[in-house]
Amino acid sequence: MRISVLGGSEAGGTSILVEDSRGRAILVDFGLKVFEDDEVVPMKSPVELKNIVDRIEAVFITHAHLDHVGALPYLLKWGYSGPIYSTEPTRPLVKRVLLNSVKVLGENSAYSVKDVLETRKRMKALKFFEEINVGDFTVSFYSSEHIIGSAMVLIRGEKTILITSDFKWEKSMLHYGVQSKIAGSLLYEEFEKCDLMIMESSYGNREVVNFKDLLKILSDKINKTVKRKGKVLIVTGAINKPGEIALMIDKCKKEGLIPWDLEVYVDGLAAKLYDTLITFRKFTRVKNARVLSKAVKKVDSITREKLIEENEPCVIISSGEYLSGITSLFYFKKIAPSEKNAVIFATTNIPEGTPAYNVVRGGRLLEIGGSKVEVKAEVSILPLSLHSDKRGLFQFARLVKPKRILLIHGSRESKEALAKHLHAYNPIISSENMRLEL
């Protein structure tokens, strides 16, 4: 068996090709390097990509983030005609995320709405633990607890390979965490002593802020703003984080940490995808739809202006992470100029070169689309992560006990730091276009 790291050695553009001895292949993920204009697909050479497409018999998608699915429509444009497998929630999420990408990029988008819809038609749902045979491989999904419907991929052939993709070790408001999943199911014993584990290393050199401290940070910021009679804008990703934040705020209310009657709104792509959380809540640990639906009120383009004009304090959760979306920019332009208000970026990492990067570094005047926005609002970060930190990554490796580990999806520093703690498992630090024989 041969493994090729087509993309995602560091951050973004994740794509892993697994080939059998006869050259037949399966592809796991095909993502965009979202903030790198010169490298928007996992590999640069169209000829090499075409050769790969000719050998792929099936594609498996771990979850619906752009850095894992953003290049999918390219495959069809290059002639791929086989199936694309994912979990049930991932299919509608992929469609929404890709359509939103086309909308935001406009003429700069490399694919069209038609390409996205054709991609969606090719997608087939697999249940967790369900096995499917592709050539000499048997492939199955296991929950990775990263976002709704996210999956690890177990590939069994001449050798056994586990691709963790992004995973969350600890419990969150929406998910049990891989730690609890493993403890509660003998099915995860299939992972043990696999020949190779391809593991993410996003936080291989860091510890994430614990949940109790996150609640304190969030409640303190909200209370300070409410006392000023201001509004709180929380800018975050579109899929899981709005639900996580809404439930965190609800918990703060129930524990008396913030006013119980404070209104919480969700807008943008996050509002549309919030319905997906409710529809597929069986994939979360929140089984009661009312818990999710009562936590927020959805806003649309018609009621948006009215919400801003009202003088009452409130919390607005908006997608458009790093101020990269239409909705988050709308609210930022309205909220940032007043010192009564607060802007919170719910993330642990803001890429250099994004509008949000300049704001959190103290920029008081932001130029966006030809207009200037004076930033007087209080700006801060809520370090909410849906990844495992170095402790969770190490604990997972200890449980699985793989013969070898290939570290991907992390900075060079992160991978090297993590590798020092995983020497018992013969760690390999990946690089772009790396090939590995098993």
Side-chain angles (χ1 to χ4, degrees), residues 214-226:
L214 282 175
L215 282 183
K216 187 176 188 310
I217 293 169
L218 181 59
S219 60
D220 285 350
K221 295 295 182 185
I222 290 174
N223 277 328
K224 284 175 63 179
T225 309
V226 169

Side-chain angles (χ1 to χ4, degrees), residues 25 39 44-45 53 64 74 80 88 116 129 140-141 155 157-158 167 188 213 241 270 287 314 318 358 362 422 435:
E39 203 171 5
K44 292 182 179 180
S45 168
V53 168
Y74 285 99
Y80 176 69
E88 190 179 0
V116 173
F129 314 126
S140 50
F141 284 141
I155 304 168
E158 301 165 20
F167 73 97
Y188 282 80
D213 288 342
K241 283 187 177 180
K287 308 305 181 188
C314 67
S318 174
N358 297 328
L422 300 175
R435 287 187 170 88

Side-chain angles (χ1 to χ4, degrees), residues 412-431:
R412 185 80 186 180
E413 295 78 15
S414 177
K415 287 182 288 191
E416 288 177 349
L418 185 58
K420 291 178 181 178
H421 298 284
L422 300 175
H423 56 84
Y425 311 110
N426 304 304
I428 304 164
I429 295 174
S430 66
S431 58

Side-chain angles (χ1 to χ4, degrees), residues 6 17 25 27 43 47-56 435:
L6 306 185
L17 190 75
L27 183 69
M43 300 181 70
V47 174
E48 192 169 1
L49 280 166
K50 176 61 179 173
N51 291 338
I52 288 173
V53 168
D54 290 342
R55 300 201 306 272
I56 297 171
R435 287 187 170 88

Side-chain angles (χ1 to χ4, degrees), residues 154-168:
L154 185 67
I155 304 168
R156 286 173 292 180
E158 301 165 20
K159 304 285 185 178
T160 300
I161 301 169
L162 173 64
I163 301 176
T164 70
S165 188
D166 301 344
F167 73 97
K168 181 71 171 174

